[in-house]
Coordinates of all heavy atoms in Angstrom, one line a residue:
F7 N -5.8 -25.0 2.4 CA -4.6 -24.9 1.5 C -3.4 -24.6 2.3 O -3.3 -23.7 3.0 CB -4.9 -23.7 0.5 CG -6.0 -24.0 -0.5 CD1 -7.3 -23.6 -0.1 CD2 -5.8 -24.7 -1.7 CE1 -8.4 -23.9 -1.0 CE2 -6.9 -24.9 -2.5 CZ -8.2 -24.5 -2.2
T92 N -14.4 -22.5 13.3 CA -13.6 -21.3 13.7 C -13.8 -20.2 12.6 O -13.6 -20.5 11.4 CB -12.1 -21.6 13.9 OG1 -12.0 -22.6 14.9 CG2 -11.3 -20.4 14.3
V133 N -12.7 -31.0 7.4 CA -13.7 -31.5 6.5 C -13.9 -30.5 5.4 O -13.5 -29.4 5.5 CB -15.0 -31.9 7.3 CG1 -14.7 -32.9 8.3 CG2 -15.6 -30.6 7.9
R159 N -9.5 -16.8 -3.1 CA -9.2 -17.7 -2.0 C -7.8 -17.5 -1.5 O -6.9 -17.1 -2.3 CB -9.4 -19.2 -2.4 CG -8.6 -19.7 -3.5 CD -8.9 -21.1 -3.9 NE -8.3 -21.5 -5.1 CZ -7.1 -22.1 -5.2 NH1 -6.4 -22.2 -4.1 NH2 -6.6 -22.4 -6.3
T187 N -24.2 -5.1 1.6 CA -23.4 -6.3 1.9 C -23.2 -7.0 0.6 O -24.0 -6.9 -0.4 CB -24.2 -7.2 2.8 OG1 -24.4 -6.6 4.1 CG2 -23.5 -8.6 3.0
A199 N -12.2 -14.0 0.2 CA -12.1 -12.6 0.1 C -12.8 -12.1 -1.1 O -13.0 -12.8 -2.1 CB -10.7 -12.1 0.1
N221 N 15.0 11.1 19.7 CA 15.7 10.5 18.6 C 16.1 9.1 18.8 O 17.2 8.6 18.4 CB 17.0 11.4 18.3 CG 16.6 12.8 17.8 OD1 15.7 12.9 17.0 ND2 17.3 13.8 18.4
L277 N 1.7 9.6 8.0 CA 2.0 10.8 7.1 C 1.2 10.7 5.9 O 1.1 9.7 5.2 CB 3.5 10.7 6.7 CG 4.0 11.7 5.7 CD1 3.9 13.1 6.3 CD2 5.4 11.4 5.2
P297 N -1.1 0.3 21.0 CA -1.3 -0.4 19.7 C -2.8 -0.3 19.3 O -3.1 -0.1 18.1 CB -0.9 -1.8 19.9 CG 0.1 -1.7 21.0 CD -0.4 -0.6 21.9

Side-chain angles (χ1 to χ4, degrees):
F7 293 90
T92 300
V133 299
R159 59 183 171 90
T187 295
N221 294 319
L277 172 68

